[in-house]
Each structure stands twice: as C-alpha cells, then as structure tokens.
Amino acid sequence: MSQPRVNPNFKLEDQGIEGVGAVYYNLLEPALIERAVARGEGTLGLGGAFLVSTGKHTGRSPKDKFVVRTPDVEDNIWWENNKPMAPEAFDLLYADMLEHMKGREYFVQDLYAGADPEQRLDVRVVSELAWHNLFIRHLLRRPDASELASFVPEFTIINCPSFKADPERHGTRTETVIALNFDKKLILIGNTEYSGENKKGVFTLMNYILPARGVMPMHCSANHAEGDENDVAIFFGLSGTGKTTLSADPSRVLIGDDEHGWSDKGVFNFEGGCYAKTINLSPEAEPEIYATTSRFGTVIENMVFDPDTLELDFRDSSITENMRAAYPLDYISNASETGLGGVPKNVIMLTSDAYGVMPPIARLTPAQAMYHFLSGFTSKTPGTEVGVTEPTPTFSTCFGAPFTPRRPEAYGALLQKKIAETGATCWLVNTGWTGGAFGTGSRMPIKATRALLTAALDGSLNAAQFRKDPNFGFEVPVSVPGVDDKLMDPRQTWADAAAYDAQAAKLVQMFSDNFAQYIDKVDDQVRLAAIG
C-alpha cells in the first residue's frame, strides 16, 4: 500500500480553514496539469509545458506587500522598507479571505525551503489555481511520501487571486495584497496571479528567520567545482548583471540560481527549481535553459506563442519583458543533486556599470565587500523601462531590497564576518560598459569576463600584480592572460581621459550619497572603504 500524501492529522480543517470545497493534497505534476487544463487555467504547450498568462500583474507588487506590526517583531523589522499592517487589520483580512474561500476548490503542497535539514523551513502552500501549485512544487523542495505522512507546516501561504482586499477595511493600498504575519506564521496573497509572489514570500521568511541563527540568507546563485563540493563560488547580482548566465558554467556544478543560505557548514540552496527569464533566450547561448521550455511540466509564464503550432516567441515582449519559465532543478544536467556545498572560497558581486567607470574585475577586502553589498549597485540602461533615456543608477541593498525584512547592516555585518572568518576571496565583477558610457562605449566582452572569472575561481588571479583603483580603493589586476591589458584600466579605454575622470567622480558621488544612510551604522573599516 502506498504512503498517504498528507498528514491525516493536519489537514486544512485542523488549521481552522473550514468550509472550502474539494481539496487536493500534494498532487504530482501530471495530476496538477490535468486539473489546470480542465479548469481552463492555461494551454498545454510543446513537450507538455504549461503556458499561462498572469493577467494585469506580470511582476511582483512590492507596494502592496505588508508586514504585520506585532510586539515580537517590532524591533527587528526595517520599517522604512517594509510597510506595516495593524494586527487587527490582518485579522479582518484573514477572516474575510476564509469566508471568500468557502465552497471553492483548493490545491495544497507541503514543501521544504532549504536543502540543509538543520536549517529548512516546512511550508504549506494553499493555492486557488492548480498551476500555482505546480509552480511552487517546482520552486521549493519536495518531500517524499513518508515525510508527507507526518508533515506539519511551520508557515502557511494562502494564495487566492479571486479575493480582493478592501483598502478601507484592511488598511491596504489597493485590492491587491501580500501580507506577512510572523507571529501567526501566515502569508496571505490576494488579487494577483503572478506566481513569483509565492516564491519571494518564502524568501522573505528565510531572510527573517536565518540571521537569528547566524546563517546568512543570500539573493545569489552558487556553484562548485566538478568533483569538489568544497570549492564553492557564490554570485550576487541584480537583474541584467549575468548572475544566472555566469554561474551556469558547464565545467562546474550548479547548486542553485537564485536563493541560498551560508551556515557554518557551508552553502545550501533554498529551492528545488529555477525561475528563469526567457526574453531573447537563445539555444546557442543558453541551450539547457532553452531546452526546459519544451519539457513536461515547465510553467511558461506570459510568453507570446503561436496558437496553431504552440511555438514560443522569445523576442515578443508585448505582454511583458518579465516573461519566465519555472522548472525543477534536475532539468539542468550539471545541477547538484543535494543542493549543498561547502563554505565559499570565492564571493562574486556582479554589477552592470553603464557609466563605463568600473574595471572588469577587482579584489575586495571584507570591509569593501560589505560596502558594495550594502550598496547593491547596478544601472538601468535606456530601453529597459519606459522613460529611461540615459543610464540610471540602481542601488538595491543586499542585492535584494524588496525581500529584506531586517535592517540591511544586519546582513552586511553577517556577510563581513563570514568572509573574514573563512578567508573567502571577494571579487567585484563589472559586466557593463567599457570605452565609454552606454551609447558611446561597448559592452564588456563576455569572453574577457569568463576568462577573469576562471582565473579568480582557480586561484591563479591572486598571483597577479595589482594596482589600487583611485576611485574606489579596491585592487585591480594589471594583467591577466587572455585579456587585453588595456581593458583592465577603464581610463585607458576612453578616447577622452578627462571625460572619464568626470564620469568617475560623478559615479563615486552617487555611491557616497547612497551610502550616507548607513555611514553611522557600520564600523570604522567599512567607513574607510566608503571613502576609498
């Protein structure tokens, strides 16, 4: 006899969620797709992929995200970055959502966040949409049947897109709501079909819980050397910096592409899958990710496709530029089976500098690493968003401000401590522009970036001769085999050196202005790093 796929003593009614219609617990992929097709939630695509549209919400709604302000979390939340919700308003919201759910069909997945059993979080996700349940089954880690038979969730997410919040009654901004209650261990999501809210809700939980255990939660990708789980590299970076592309090295094993923890034992992936952008995805440049878009069960979100042939259009961004594919990690051939690795030897911080000022790679001290981690710099370029007509600086602290419930310096100090204790080497890598700013210069050659990363990861770059950068004070290699020496000094790549100096002074001032918010919250070493 097969094992039950739910704890018989902990169903929805045992959580006080009563009166709903049919409830489907921990359905596997074929059954979820069957239900989603029958319910008209999307289209069965090539190879058994499931094609969906998320309606008016094609991305996260950070302005509609709230943290319930209770005494237990009052002193721990970064309230300037997290909108508060009164406990009474949350109670009304929860009661109204439960009333709305009565008689309706729901899908439940009991899952783990975190590959390390000592650090994982047991999460129950209750979904109104069958394909949302399929999505989160990909993105989190899947217990086996014997574990499900005794599974009791620590946190529960209820995602009900048909429910609309009442701003006057619930204290929300609009009818859309994402509300986190750390005391009641609940996340409520309403009036949005964008599946990423499920994933990032869990990430926010981990970002709150783990620092209290001395574990560093990170918005990063990670890999390790083939045959050596202790040769780990982590890659921080905002969208467009190359985080996914550069960590997907065929000569290394992919631990994960987006969310990880760093404990005393090493690195562990939070997730069991990937949520990759697909705009302009190419079978030549990213063959394995491309191949997932026509594999069974992959969720294809907000992509234009031919209604007759079902072929996907990777260039058509008329729905959104944020088109995505969600798939299990084992769809990538060189992915880690365990999601675990040792303590990082190298920490990579990726930036896309559209001002053409930063070198292609620089070595950072632990204090400089904290400075650049808290800064979280990259730049938007013209065409990426409506109204962006010139390079625009973006500072997203910890490379993930929207998912940061605690004060940024708490994460920065933890990262600084771990780098100092383990002796990890930290690098800042610029995948942006050289020879001038955007519109004048050219994009950093990917071949050069890969050569520099290879030298950093195999240790040979540490033996190079370094110079001190006059703008930021970090160390820059003078010469690296396989890379044009001129490229290593950005000032030499500009036709007008004086113009470079003016642009560099402008960028340094942007950093300084942004870091002013942290200057009295960091130690003297980081203050020195902040002023070069």
PDB file of all heavy atoms in Angstrom, residues 443-469:
ATOM      1  N   ARG A 443      29.776  46.973 -24.669  1.00  0.00           N
ATOM      2  CA  ARG A 443      29.550  46.058 -23.549  1.00  0.00           C
ATOM      3  C   ARG A 443      30.823  45.265 -23.276  1.00  0.00           C
ATOM      4  O   ARG A 443      31.557  44.899 -24.197  1.00  0.00           O
ATOM      5  CB  ARG A 443      28.391  45.105 -23.880  1.00  0.00           C
ATOM      6  CG  ARG A 443      27.827  44.349 -22.662  1.00  0.00           C
ATOM      7  CD  ARG A 443      27.025  45.272 -21.781  1.00  0.00           C
ATOM      8  NE  ARG A 443      26.675  44.651 -20.496  1.00  0.00           N
ATOM      9  CZ  ARG A 443      25.454  44.208 -20.184  1.00  0.00           C
ATOM     10  NH1 ARG A 443      24.470  44.321 -21.068  1.00  0.00           N
ATOM     11  NH2 ARG A 443      25.214  43.689 -19.002  1.00  0.00           N
ATOM     12  N   MET A 444      31.101  45.019 -22.017  1.00  0.00           N
ATOM     13  CA  MET A 444      32.275  44.251 -21.620  1.00  0.00           C
ATOM     14  C   MET A 444      32.248  42.907 -22.341  1.00  0.00           C
ATOM     15  O   MET A 444      31.237  42.193 -22.292  1.00  0.00           O
ATOM     16  CB  MET A 444      32.276  44.029 -20.107  1.00  0.00           C
ATOM     17  CG  MET A 444      33.593  43.581 -19.545  1.00  0.00           C
ATOM     18  SD  MET A 444      34.847  44.889 -19.554  1.00  0.00           S
ATOM     19  CE  MET A 444      34.197  46.032 -18.315  1.00  0.00           C
ATOM     20  N   PRO A 445      33.321  42.516 -23.031  1.00  0.00           N
ATOM     21  CA  PRO A 445      33.311  41.250 -23.776  1.00  0.00           C
ATOM     22  C   PRO A 445      33.082  40.062 -22.840  1.00  0.00           C
ATOM     23  O   PRO A 445      33.792  39.908 -21.838  1.00  0.00           O
ATOM     24  CB  PRO A 445      34.705  41.191 -24.404  1.00  0.00           C
ATOM     25  CG  PRO A 445      35.209  42.603 -24.378  1.00  0.00           C
ATOM     26  CD  PRO A 445      34.603  43.244 -23.182  1.00  0.00           C
ATOM     27  N   ILE A 446      32.084  39.240 -23.156  1.00  0.00           N
ATOM     28  CA  ILE A 446      31.768  38.098 -22.313  1.00  0.00           C
ATOM     29  C   ILE A 446      32.958  37.137 -22.224  1.00  0.00           C
ATOM     30  O   ILE A 446      33.194  36.517 -21.186  1.00  0.00           O
ATOM     31  CB  ILE A 446      30.503  37.371 -22.820  1.00  0.00           C
ATOM     32  CG1 ILE A 446      30.093  36.245 -21.864  1.00  0.00           C
ATOM     33  CG2 ILE A 446      30.718  36.833 -24.220  1.00  0.00           C
ATOM     34  CD1 ILE A 446      29.638  36.683 -20.512  1.00  0.00           C
ATOM     35  N   LYS A 447      33.743  37.064 -23.311  1.00  0.00           N
ATOM     36  CA  LYS A 447      34.919  36.192 -23.307  1.00  0.00           C
ATOM     37  C   LYS A 447      35.916  36.649 -22.246  1.00  0.00           C
ATOM     38  O   LYS A 447      36.506  35.829 -21.532  1.00  0.00           O
ATOM     39  CB  LYS A 447      35.574  36.188 -24.688  1.00  0.00           C
ATOM     40  CG  LYS A 447      36.753  35.240 -24.822  1.00  0.00           C
ATOM     41  CD  LYS A 447      37.318  35.254 -26.233  1.00  0.00           C
ATOM     42  CE  LYS A 447      38.521  34.318 -26.352  1.00  0.00           C
ATOM     43  NZ  LYS A 447      39.099  34.330 -27.728  1.00  0.00           N
ATOM     44  N   ALA A 448      36.093  37.971 -22.125  1.00  0.00           N
ATOM     45  CA  ALA A 448      37.007  38.506 -21.116  1.00  0.00           C
ATOM     46  C   ALA A 448      36.480  38.254 -19.706  1.00  0.00           C
ATOM     47  O   ALA A 448      37.223  37.867 -18.803  1.00  0.00           O
ATOM     48  CB  ALA A 448      37.220  40.000 -21.339  1.00  0.00           C
ATOM     49  N   THR A 449      35.169  38.454 -19.512  1.00  0.00           N
ATOM     50  CA  THR A 449      34.567  38.215 -18.193  1.00  0.00           C
ATOM     51  C   THR A 449      34.745  36.768 -17.768  1.00  0.00           C
ATOM     52  O   THR A 449      35.103  36.471 -16.630  1.00  0.00           O
ATOM     53  CB  THR A 449      33.072  38.588 -18.218  1.00  0.00           C
ATOM     54  OG1 THR A 449      32.926  39.966 -18.562  1.00  0.00           O
ATOM     55  CG2 THR A 449      32.435  38.355 -16.857  1.00  0.00           C
ATOM     56  N   ARG A 450      34.509  35.846 -18.692  1.00  0.00           N
ATOM     57  CA  ARG A 450      34.650  34.422 -18.367  1.00  0.00           C
ATOM     58  C   ARG A 450      36.114  34.080 -18.054  1.00  0.00           C
ATOM     59  O   ARG A 450      36.396  33.300 -17.136  1.00  0.00           O
ATOM     60  CB  ARG A 450      34.123  33.564 -19.511  1.00  0.00           C
ATOM     61  CG  ARG A 450      32.599  33.606 -19.656  1.00  0.00           C
ATOM     62  CD  ARG A 450      32.105  32.491 -20.580  1.00  0.00           C
ATOM     63  NE  ARG A 450      30.667  32.527 -20.756  1.00  0.00           N
ATOM     64  CZ  ARG A 450      29.775  32.036 -19.909  1.00  0.00           C
ATOM     65  NH1 ARG A 450      30.198  31.477 -18.775  1.00  0.00           N
ATOM     66  NH2 ARG A 450      28.488  32.101 -20.159  1.00  0.00           N
ATOM     67  N   ALA A 451      37.054  34.661 -18.801  1.00  0.00           N
ATOM     68  CA  ALA A 451      38.473  34.399 -18.545  1.00  0.00           C
ATOM     69  C   ALA A 451      38.880  34.912 -17.165  1.00  0.00           C
ATOM     70  O   ALA A 451      39.626  34.250 -16.433  1.00  0.00           O
ATOM     71  CB  ALA A 451      39.330  35.047 -19.628  1.00  0.00           C
ATOM     72  N   LEU A 452      38.381  36.085 -16.802  1.00  0.00           N
ATOM     73  CA  LEU A 452      38.698  36.654 -15.494  1.00  0.00           C
ATOM     74  C   LEU A 452      38.089  35.826 -14.368  1.00  0.00           C
ATOM     75  O   LEU A 452      38.725  35.591 -13.333  1.00  0.00           O
ATOM     76  CB  LEU A 452      38.203  38.095 -15.425  1.00  0.00           C
ATOM     77  CG  LEU A 452      38.954  39.091 -16.332  1.00  0.00           C
ATOM     78  CD1 LEU A 452      38.193  40.404 -16.432  1.00  0.00           C
ATOM     79  CD2 LEU A 452      40.360  39.324 -15.799  1.00  0.00           C
ATOM     80  N   LEU A 453      36.843  35.373 -14.566  1.00  0.00           N
ATOM     81  CA  LEU A 453      36.199  34.551 -13.551  1.00  0.00           C
ATOM     82  C   LEU A 453      36.917  33.216 -13.381  1.00  0.00           C
ATOM     83  O   LEU A 453      37.102  32.733 -12.262  1.00  0.00           O
ATOM     84  CB  LEU A 453      34.731  34.312 -13.904  1.00  0.00           C
ATOM     85  CG  LEU A 453      33.738  35.386 -13.462  1.00  0.00           C
ATOM     86  CD1 LEU A 453      32.344  35.077 -13.977  1.00  0.00           C
ATOM     87  CD2 LEU A 453      33.720  35.499 -11.937  1.00  0.00           C
ATOM     88  N   THR A 454      37.318  32.627 -14.500  1.00  0.00           N
ATOM     89  CA  THR A 454      38.054  31.365 -14.432  1.00  0.00           C
ATOM     90  C   THR A 454      39.339  31.528 -13.629  1.00  0.00           C
ATOM     91  O   THR A 454      39.670  30.704 -12.767  1.00  0.00           O
ATOM     92  CB  THR A 454      38.378  30.853 -15.848  1.00  0.00           C
ATOM     93  OG1 THR A 454      37.148  30.584 -16.535  1.00  0.00           O
ATOM     94  CG2 THR A 454      39.208  29.587 -15.799  1.00  0.00           C
ATOM     95  N   ALA A 455      40.065  32.622 -13.879  1.00  0.00           N
ATOM     96  CA  ALA A 455      41.310  32.888 -13.155  1.00  0.00           C
ATOM     97  C   ALA A 455      41.047  33.152 -11.678  1.00  0.00           C
ATOM     98  O   ALA A 455      41.834  32.746 -10.808  1.00  0.00           O
ATOM     99  CB  ALA A 455      42.036  34.067 -13.785  1.00  0.00           C
ATOM    100  N   ALA A 456      39.911  33.823 -11.376  1.00  0.00           N
ATOM    101  CA  ALA A 456      39.568  34.074  -9.975  1.00  0.00           C
ATOM    102  C   ALA A 456      39.229  32.768  -9.261  1.00  0.00           C
ATOM    103  O   ALA A 456      39.688  32.515  -8.137  1.00  0.00           O
ATOM    104  CB  ALA A 456      38.388  35.038  -9.899  1.00  0.00           C
ATOM    105  N   LEU A 457      38.454  31.905  -9.919  1.00  0.00           N
ATOM    106  CA  LEU A 457      37.984  30.691  -9.265  1.00  0.00           C
ATOM    107  C   LEU A 457      39.068  29.627  -9.144  1.00  0.00           C
ATOM    108  O   LEU A 457      39.048  28.831  -8.202  1.00  0.00           O
ATOM    109  CB  LEU A 457      36.763  30.125 -10.008  1.00  0.00           C
ATOM    110  CG  LEU A 457      35.526  31.039 -10.043  1.00  0.00           C
ATOM    111  CD1 LEU A 457      34.344  30.318 -10.687  1.00  0.00           C
ATOM    112  CD2 LEU A 457      35.148  31.518  -8.652  1.00  0.00           C
ATOM    113  N   ASP A 458      40.021  29.593 -10.092  1.00  0.00           N
ATOM    114  CA  ASP A 458      41.078  28.580  -9.966  1.00  0.00           C
ATOM    115  C   ASP A 458      42.262  29.066  -9.119  1.00  0.00           C
ATOM    116  O   ASP A 458      43.233  28.342  -8.897  1.00  0.00           O
ATOM    117  CB  ASP A 458      41.556  28.091 -11.343  1.00  0.00           C
ATOM    118  CG  ASP A 458      42.319  29.135 -12.159  1.00  0.00           C
ATOM    119  OD1 ASP A 458      42.812  30.123 -11.592  1.00  0.00           O
ATOM    120  OD2 ASP A 458      42.426  28.944 -13.393  1.00  0.00           O
ATOM    121  N   GLY A 459      42.169  30.307  -8.645  1.00  0.00           N
ATOM    122  CA  GLY A 459      43.186  30.841  -7.741  1.00  0.00           C
ATOM    123  C   GLY A 459      44.344  31.539  -8.405  1.00  0.00           C
ATOM    124  O   GLY A 459      45.127  32.219  -7.735  1.00  0.00           O
ATOM    125  N   SER A 460      44.478  31.417  -9.723  1.00  0.00           N
ATOM    126  CA  SER A 460      45.641  31.992 -10.397  1.00  0.00           C
ATOM    127  C   SER A 460      45.617  33.517 -10.388  1.00  0.00           C
ATOM    128  O   SER A 460      46.680  34.157 -10.419  1.00  0.00           O
ATOM    129  CB  SER A 460      45.728  31.477 -11.841  1.00  0.00           C
ATOM    130  OG  SER A 460      44.576  31.847 -12.588  1.00  0.00           O
ATOM    131  N   LEU A 461      44.438  34.116 -10.309  1.00  0.00           N
ATOM    132  CA  LEU A 461      44.350  35.576 -10.343  1.00  0.00           C
ATOM    133  C   LEU A 461      44.979  36.205  -9.098  1.00  0.00           C
ATOM    134  O   LEU A 461      45.484  37.331  -9.145  1.00  0.00           O
ATOM    135  CB  LEU A 461      42.887  36.023 -10.482  1.00  0.00           C
ATOM    136  CG  LEU A 461      42.634  37.499 -10.784  1.00  0.00           C
ATOM    137  CD1 LEU A 461      43.408  37.953 -12.018  1.00  0.00           C
ATOM    138  CD2 LEU A 461      41.149  37.772 -10.971  1.00  0.00           C
ATOM    139  N   ASN A 462      44.980  35.492  -7.991  1.00  0.00           N
ATOM    140  CA  ASN A 462      45.579  36.033  -6.760  1.00  0.00           C
ATOM    141  C   ASN A 462      47.081  36.273  -6.897  1.00  0.00           C
ATOM    142  O   ASN A 462      47.664  37.047  -6.141  1.00  0.00           O
ATOM    143  CB  ASN A 462      45.309  35.089  -5.589  1.00  0.00           C
ATOM    144  CG  ASN A 462      43.902  35.253  -5.042  1.00  0.00           C
ATOM    145  OD1 ASN A 462      43.430  36.359  -4.831  1.00  0.00           O
ATOM    146  ND2 ASN A 462      43.227  34.129  -4.821  1.00  0.00           N
ATOM    147  N   ALA A 463      47.701  35.573  -7.869  1.00  0.00           N
ATOM    148  CA  ALA A 463      49.147  35.728  -8.071  1.00  0.00           C
ATOM    149  C   ALA A 463      49.480  36.889  -9.001  1.00  0.00           C
ATOM    150  O   ALA A 463      50.660  37.200  -9.210  1.00  0.00           O
ATOM    151  CB  ALA A 463      49.726  34.432  -8.644  1.00  0.00           C
ATOM    152  N   ALA A 464      48.471  37.560  -9.550  1.00  0.00           N
ATOM    153  CA  ALA A 464      48.705  38.665 -10.481  1.00  0.00           C
ATOM    154  C   ALA A 464      49.227  39.900  -9.740  1.00  0.00           C
ATOM    155  O   ALA A 464      49.115  40.024  -8.519  1.00  0.00           O
ATOM    156  CB  ALA A 464      47.418  39.006 -11.222  1.00  0.00           C
ATOM    157  N   GLN A 465      49.793  40.821 -10.503  1.00  0.00           N
ATOM    158  CA  GLN A 465      50.170  42.135  -9.948  1.00  0.00           C
ATOM    159  C   GLN A 465      48.915  42.992  -9.888  1.00  0.00           C
ATOM    160  O   GLN A 465      48.122  43.016 -10.838  1.00  0.00           O
ATOM    161  CB  GLN A 465      51.217  42.800 -10.835  1.00  0.00           C
ATOM    162  CG  GLN A 465      51.636  44.193 -10.355  1.00  0.00           C
ATOM    163  CD  GLN A 465      52.577  44.891 -11.332  1.00  0.00           C
ATOM    164  OE1 GLN A 465      53.066  44.269 -12.270  1.00  0.00           O
ATOM    165  NE2 GLN A 465      52.825  46.163 -11.094  1.00  0.00           N
ATOM    166  N   PHE A 466      48.706  43.698  -8.772  1.00  0.00           N
ATOM    167  CA  PHE A 466      47.508  44.515  -8.594  1.00  0.00           C
ATOM    168  C   PHE A 466      47.888  45.988  -8.425  1.00  0.00           C
ATOM    169  O   PHE A 466      48.959  46.308  -7.932  1.00  0.00           O
ATOM    170  CB  PHE A 466      46.718  44.062  -7.359  1.00  0.00           C
ATOM    171  CG  PHE A 466      45.974  42.767  -7.535  1.00  0.00           C
ATOM    172  CD1 PHE A 466      46.628  41.545  -7.401  1.00  0.00           C
ATOM    173  CD2 PHE A 466      44.617  42.748  -7.837  1.00  0.00           C
ATOM    174  CE1 PHE A 466      45.952  40.348  -7.553  1.00  0.00           C
ATOM    175  CE2 PHE A 466      43.931  41.567  -7.996  1.00  0.00           C
ATOM    176  CZ  PHE A 466      44.596  40.356  -7.850  1.00  0.00           C
ATOM    177  N   ARG A 467      46.979  46.862  -8.834  1.00  0.00           N
ATOM    178  CA  ARG A 467      47.101  48.288  -8.578  1.00  0.00           C
ATOM    179  C   ARG A 467      45.895  48.732  -7.754  1.00  0.00           C
ATOM    180  O   ARG A 467      44.848  48.072  -7.768  1.00  0.00           O
ATOM    181  CB  ARG A 467      47.141  49.082  -9.893  1.00  0.00           C
ATOM    182  CG  ARG A 467      45.857  48.990 -10.696  1.00  0.00           C
ATOM    183  CD  ARG A 467      45.855  49.838 -11.961  1.00  0.00           C
ATOM    184  NE  ARG A 467      44.615  49.658 -12.719  1.00  0.00           N
ATOM    185  CZ  ARG A 467      43.482  50.325 -12.491  1.00  0.00           C
ATOM    186  NH1 ARG A 467      43.442  51.238 -11.513  1.00  0.00           N
ATOM    187  NH2 ARG A 467      42.415  50.099 -13.210  1.00  0.00           N
ATOM    188  N   LYS A 468      46.020  49.842  -7.048  1.00  0.00           N
ATOM    189  CA  LYS A 468      44.898  50.379  -6.280  1.00  0.00           C
ATOM    190  C   LYS A 468      44.082  51.314  -7.156  1.00  0.00           C
ATOM    191  O   LYS A 468      44.616  52.253  -7.759  1.00  0.00           O
ATOM    192  CB  LYS A 468      45.401  51.126  -5.043  1.00  0.00           C
ATOM    193  CG  LYS A 468      44.273  51.645  -4.148  1.00  0.00           C
ATOM    194  CD  LYS A 468      44.820  52.321  -2.902  1.00  0.00           C
ATOM    195  CE  LYS A 468      43.679  52.851  -2.037  1.00  0.00           C
ATOM    196  NZ  LYS A 468      44.182  53.497  -0.794  1.00  0.00           N
ATOM    197  N   ASP A 469      42.773  51.044  -7.240  1.00  0.00           N
ATOM    198  CA  ASP A 469      41.895  51.891  -8.035  1.00  0.00           C
ATOM    199  C   ASP A 469      41.766  53.259  -7.363  1.00  0.00           C
ATOM    200  O   ASP A 469      41.466  53.342  -6.165  1.00  0.00           O
ATOM    201  CB  ASP A 469      40.509  51.240  -8.157  1.00  0.00           C
ATOM    202  CG  ASP A 469      39.567  52.049  -9.015  1.00  0.00           C
ATOM    203  OD1 ASP A 469      39.626  51.919 -10.246  1.00  0.00           O
ATOM    204  OD2 ASP A 469      38.769  52.834  -8.433  1.00  0.00           O
TER     205      ASP A 469
END
